Amino acid sequence: MIKEGSHLFVEGHGPVDPYLGKYAVKSPRIWEKVRAGWARAGLDPAAPYLPMRIEMELTTKCDDACPSCGMGALPLAEGRTLADGQIRFLLDQFVSIGLPSLAITGGEPFTAWRALLSLLAGARERGIDISKLTSNGSWGTQRRCGPVFDRLEKAGFLDSRLFVPLLMLSIGEQSIPLERIARILHHAVTHYSDRELNVALSSLADPATREHKVDPLIALYEQRYGSFPHDRVHSTMRVYLPNERLAGQAPVDRPGLTPVSRWMNRCFDCFAPTVGAYVLPTSLLKQDGCWYTCAAFNVPEKLAMGNLLRERARDVIARANSSAYVARVRAGGGLKALHEVVPRSVTDTTLGTSFCGSCAWLIDRHDEITGEETGHPSPVIPVAALLSRTGAAGSAR
């Protein structure tokens, strides 16, 4: 398979080659086109933080039950899906900030089939690319696989301007039969070229064993379809981590601890414009509208800068750009920028298990030392506004 970090293009570091990488672009002028979109929206293209993609949690429902789910997905009976009106509202919000691309995640987006099709069609109408669609592949049965691809195509999944759309299939703790994943991969690589659709496998492993499902998947694929398409399938190979948003998560035993200072020094700049291997800067939008300036599964809660279902996206973007923590990380090229705030004597002797865990710890230390407050609580909606939304304002007068 194609290694995740292959074909990384960073703005200001040489030309961009189209149609290369997991998040391949269709034009070598990607930075020019993206910044022109921000300018048309009335935003300053030189602002410290403007997302090139929003990871959008369409639903919290899932038809599987991974004990270490990174997104904290819920059973079908308990989860919630964005309503049609909310989808339209959010898409208009995205247009107002010149958002170039959108990634659709969950939960499991295919448990919200009608909402998914509505989102795809609405994004196409507004000129927003779908750069990624993540799924556990439960729909890859013999009866559903082909028709699902046909409906995705009809709804506009492949109609992108800047990015080659990516279908990401997760095979970590999922109980979905691997034959369904293999069938989806085979259909994708035999019906579409790498200029029309990219495919990837996201395989998260137990950190204690480091065992992935990729090898048995490849063996099954070759048994049924012949040689595995290594030159078409991109990889994401990582381990499960603790997630503070997932109540009752199964314990994650990650052997070995690393000083926070080492995590800081190895962290890449998640705010520097990047395509190919990743789409950065990126952000996470939860189903409840809560918006984060980072899209890592276990993103620190203090990186929530507002709620896009309650506030104007332009205001939330402005708040993110006024954050002292965000500004320092952006200016310093990653977490290593916090060395100028948090003493090395502390970061060298404090142990962490991940970049995100270290980031959460650093935010608290940064705020304690500087007196700043990172993040923003969800705003209170005025009663009058609530009444007007429910149509009760007139009767209340």
Side-chain angles (χ1 to χ4, degrees):
M1 292 185 296
I2 303 173
K3 188 175 180 180
E4 181 178 33
S6 302
H7 311 301
L8 175 65
F9 304 105
V10 182
E11 185 178 24
H13 293 265
V16 175
D17 292 330
Y19 301 105
L20 288 179
K22 185 168 65 174
Y23 299 109
V25 296
K26 294 185 174 183
S27 169
R29 298 169 51 226
I30 181 67
W31 312 122
E32 177 185 338
K33 291 176 179 288
V34 167
R35 295 193 174 278
W38 288 332
R40 285 193 299 271
L43 301 178
D44 180 4
Y49 178 76
L50 291 174
M52 287 182 58
R53 184 174 75 185
I54 288 179
E55 297 262 356
M56 183 176 178
E57 185 183 62
L58 177 64
T59 181
T60 59
K61 295 183 178 184
C62 188
D63 51 1
D64 211 330
C66 303
S68 302
C69 174
M71 295 299 288
L74 298 171
L76 294 176
E78 299 176 21
R80 302 188 66 177
T81 299
L82 287 167
D84 290 346
Q86 291 176 316
I87 291 173
R88 291 192 296 269
F89 177 78
L90 288 170
L91 287 171
D92 289 340
Q93 287 261 52
F94 301 156
V95 171
S96 75
I97 58 172
L99 183 71
S101 66
L102 185 65
I104 304 174
T105 184
E108 169 52 44
F110 286 84
T111 65
W113 181 234
R114 189 177 63 82
L116 173 59
L117 294 178
S118 175
L119 177 56
L120 291 172
R124 175 175 59 180
E125 291 171 2
R126 292 163 177 81
I128 301 172
D129 278 11
I130 304 299
S131 61
K132 180 174 70 172
L133 173 57
T134 300
S135 174
N136 62 22
S138 59
W139 49 275
T141 62
Q142 185 172 359
R143 180 179 65 86
R144 292 185 64 200
C145 184
V148 165
F149 271 102
D150 292 341
R151 289 294 303 277
L152 291 176
E153 186 173 348
K154 183 178 179 181
F157 180 43
L158 304 184
D159 298 339
S160 57
R161 302 167 299 114
L162 302 176
F163 291 90
V164 177
L166 172 75
L167 178 62
M168 173 80 80
L169 300 169
S170 298
I171 57 170
E173 293 178 324
Q174 287 85 344
S175 63
I176 305 302
L178 289 181
E179 65 181 31
R180 300 187 187 184
I181 308 300
R183 183 176 290 110
I184 293 172
L185 288 176
H186 182 66
H187 188 100
V189 301
T190 56
H191 286 75
Y192 305 99
S193 72
D194 58 1
R195 293 193 165 214
E196 297 173 297
L197 177 68
N198 273 337
V199 288
L201 292 173
S202 175
S203 179
L204 303 184
D206 183 321
T209 64
R210 300 279 172 158
E211 292 183 358
H212 289 267
K213 290 185 177 179
V214 170
D215 289 337
L217 173 64
I218 292 175
L220 175 64
Y221 186 101
E222 294 189 336
Q223 178 184 358
R224 298 201 172 195
Y225 304 110
S227 297
F228 187 83
H230 289 278
D231 60 339
R232 286 292 309 277
V233 181
H234 298 260
S235 67
T236 297
M237 308 283 281
R238 296 177 184 166
V239 297
Y240 284 97
L241 297 172
N243 187 331
E244 61 186 270
R245 296 192 308 278
L246 183 60
Q249 179 183 16
V252 176
D253 178 21
R254 182 171 185 171
L257 292 172
T258 301
V260 169
S261 58
R262 291 187 64 189
W263 289 113
M264 295 166 69
N265 292 339
R266 294 177 180 178
C267 177
F268 60 89
D269 185 358
C270 61
F271 296 149
T274 301
V275 295
Y278 317 101
V279 179
L280 298 172
T282 189
S283 63
L284 172 66
L285 177 65
K286 296 291 286 181
Q287 181 273 337
D288 61 4
C290 194
W291 182 84
Y292 300 79
T293 55
C294 180
F297 276 171
N298 48 339
V299 56
E301 286 296 329
K302 282 193 173 183
L303 288 183
M305 294 293 167
N307 191 298
L308 295 190
L309 288 173
R310 301 177 180 180
E311 304 174 88
R312 294 195 317 163
R314 300 172 70 87
D315 295 335
V316 181
I317 288 288
R319 186 179 301 129
N321 278 294
S322 68
S323 166
Y325 183 83
V326 170
R328 284 192 173 92
V329 173
R330 176 67 181 97
L335 292 181
K336 59 181 177 290
L338 274 299
H339 283 310
E340 66 183 37
V341 178
V342 185
R344 286 293 295 258
S345 59
V346 178
T347 59
D348 282 344
T349 56
T350 301
L351 301 180
T353 60
S354 66
F355 291 111
C356 294
S358 298
C359 182
W361 182 86
L362 286 166
I363 293 173
D364 289 340
R365 303 292 82 74
H366 169 273
D367 290 0
E368 290 174 2
I369 294 170
T370 64
E372 302 280 352
E373 183 178 354
T374 301
H376 183 75
S378 296
V380 176
I381 304 177
V383 174
L386 287 173
L387 292 175
S388 64
R389 292 183 189 186
T390 59
S395 61
R397 291 190 181 96

